[in-house]
Amino acid sequence: MQSFEQQREKFSSFLENYNFPDAPQSLYDGCRHILSIGGKRVRPVMCLMAHDIFSNTTNIDVLNAALAIELFHNFSLVHDDIMDNADIRRGEPTVHKKFSMPTAILAGDVLNVFAYELLNELNAKNSKEIFSLFNKTAIEVCEGQQLDMDFEQQEQVSIDEYLRMIQLKTSVLLASSLSIGAMIGNASEADKNYLYEFGKNVGIAFQLKDDYLDAFGDGDKTGKIVGGDILANKKTIFYCYCMQKADEESMQKIQELQQQSGQDKLANTLSLYEKLGARDYVYQLKDDYSKKAFAALENLSVPQEKLSELKNLARYLLQREH
């Protein structure tokens, strides 16, 4: 089995050889820009790793599928940055800041179209099924983003609503990346579904860990302002838990803190999280989803040693301190 780093190197080489048209230059420079500041390429590499479990060779189909997933993911990032009015992504200007809003919209659109062009080239016998899963996932990601924006206008967001939102916005793309890789490797229906469950639960646990680190992480390790979500009044899992579990007095305190700013707001909010048991709850919830993820892998009909690299990746994602 190849390691995550080996698979990432393989994918990066394939991505570097993918050429956008030359003109209009500003449009395709926008596409190149977002891809050039890409992160760890977790989603496409998960696709390759899942394929590797069931097949001894990396074929053009799985590379095209992995690239389609990465192009779609970056399309969503370009549009997310527009909706969030974000200036910076991974230390670089966002596409709409570096170029223009219209160019960013079009760059996102065309990345999505190129993703479908790559899928259209698949020779796999189950390409129609792969297309259907990709379409379903694309719709769900958009639904998750809309829910996230809707929550900004809602005072009450339940824990279940929040978990549903992060499942759609974050985890279904991880899940389908694994499932598509397995499908191209001719995995059984059951194994494909177990990998989907693994990816879905890893994605949810990952976002819960992200929320946890924002509130209680070490800023020197995360590279972010601790409590940034609190200061921005974002409705994270902590907020949802407190609003659902708090008595009337604590609920009023939460609402009052929303109107404040600065370090006092942060300190008082964190203190309230501790008092209401939110910190322990979120940490345990993250662990619960992590256990669900690894339990799904135990059901696969392949030797467990074939899953060692996938398990290592999941542990890294879920045990990180940054």
Side-chain angles (χ1 to χ4, degrees):
M1 297 297 296
Q2 291 191 323
S3 68
F4 175 81
E5 289 300 331
Q6 289 172 317
Q7 295 280 21
R8 183 168 67 169
E9 186 175 333
K10 182 191 300 181
F11 176 75
S12 296
S13 176
F14 188 71
L15 174 60
E16 286 171 9
N17 289 316
Y18 181 77
N19 295 314
F20 290 104
D22 294 328
Q25 184 176 338
S26 55
L27 172 64
Y28 294 115
D29 279 351
C31 297
R32 296 183 189 99
H33 175 68
I34 186 64
L35 288 166
S36 72
I37 60 174
K40 294 181 174 61
R41 314 292 188 195
V42 170
R43 293 156 190 82
V45 175
M46 276 188 162
C47 180
L48 297 182
M49 292 176 79
H51 180 266
D52 200 28
I53 293 169
F54 301 98
S55 176
N56 295 323
T57 57
T58 302
N59 60 34
I60 190 65
D61 270 357
V62 74
L63 286 167
N64 277 336
L67 182 53
I69 289 163
E70 184 67 359
L71 294 186
F72 173 81
H73 176 57
N74 280 272
F75 139 72
S76 72
L77 296 182
V78 172
H79 284 198
D80 282 0
D81 286 339
I82 293 169
M83 288 178 249
D84 293 342
N85 197 27
D87 294 346
I88 301 294
R89 176 169 289 279
R90 302 190 186 103
E92 295 289 336
T94 51
V95 177
H96 66 278
K97 288 295 180 182
K98 185 176 177 66
F99 298 91
S100 68
M101 189 74 75
T103 294
I105 293 170
L106 291 171
D109 289 345
V110 81
L111 283 169
N112 195 26
V113 174
F114 279 125
Y116 279 95
E117 279 293 301
L118 286 160
L119 290 179
N120 196 44
E121 294 177 15
L122 296 184
N123 293 309
K125 61 183 180 182
N126 50 5
S127 59
K128 185 176 180 180
E129 186 183 356
I130 292 167
F131 234 104
S132 294
L133 177 57
F134 192 88
N135 282 339
K136 175 177 176 288
T137 303
I139 291 168
E140 288 175 333
V141 170
C142 293
E143 289 173 347
Q145 177 64 17
Q146 184 63 54
L147 287 173
D148 194 21
M149 292 190 298
D150 288 348
F151 290 171
E152 293 178 11
Q153 311 304 319
Q154 295 175 215
E155 188 173 291
Q156 292 280 359
V157 177
S158 73
I159 293 170
D160 287 345
E161 287 174 328
Y162 182 78
L163 291 173
R164 175 63 176 163
M165 183 274 290
I166 63 175
Q167 176 180 320
L168 293 172
K169 184 177 177 180
T170 301
S171 73
V172 294
L173 189 55
L174 287 173
S176 63
S177 298
L178 289 159
S179 196
I180 287 170
M183 289 160 72
I184 295 173
N186 295 314
S188 69
E189 183 75 11
D191 283 345
K192 176 200 74 173
N193 291 336
Y194 286 132
L195 278 172
Y196 187 93
E197 284 300 305
F198 167 75
K200 182 183 75 175
N201 288 306
V202 165
I204 294 171
F206 179 87
Q207 184 58 54
L208 293 173
K209 182 64 180 279
D210 210 47
D211 286 359
Y212 186 89
L213 290 176
D214 184 88
F216 294 103
D218 183 337
D220 290 336
K221 292 180 179 178
T222 64
K224 299 177 182 177
I225 299 171
V226 174
D229 287 346
I230 294 170
L231 296 173
N233 286 337
K234 289 191 176 180
K235 294 179 177 68
T236 66
I237 186 64
F238 288 99
Y239 177 90
C240 298
Y241 173 86
C242 289
M243 291 298 285
Q244 192 165 317
K245 302 295 183 180
D247 56 27
E248 190 173 336
E249 182 182 348
S250 296
M251 193 176 293
Q252 185 176 347
K253 181 64 175 175
I254 294 168
Q255 292 168 336
E256 288 173 359
L257 285 167
Q258 291 265 303
Q259 307 305 315
Q260 298 177 15
S261 60
Q263 290 305 305
D264 283 347
K265 171 181 180 169
L266 178 58
N268 291 332
T269 301
L270 291 175
S271 177
L272 192 59
Y273 286 170
E274 295 267 20
K275 176 184 173 183
L276 295 174
R279 181 175 186 172
D280 290 341
Y281 170 81
V282 172
Y283 196 88
Q284 184 59 53
L285 189 62
K286 185 272 296 182
D287 276 357
D288 290 345
Y289 276 100
S290 299
K291 289 173 184 174
K292 287 181 184 179
F294 285 104
L297 287 187
E298 297 299 322
N299 291 315
L300 283 168
S301 64
V302 297
Q304 287 297 303
E305 57 264 27
K306 280 199 164 193
L307 306 175
S308 59
E309 292 299 333
L310 201 55
K311 290 179 179 179
N312 288 340
L313 174 59
R315 290 189 191 102
Y316 166 76
L317 293 173
L318 301 180
Q319 295 173 5
R320 76 198 195 285
E321 296 300 327
H322 54 82

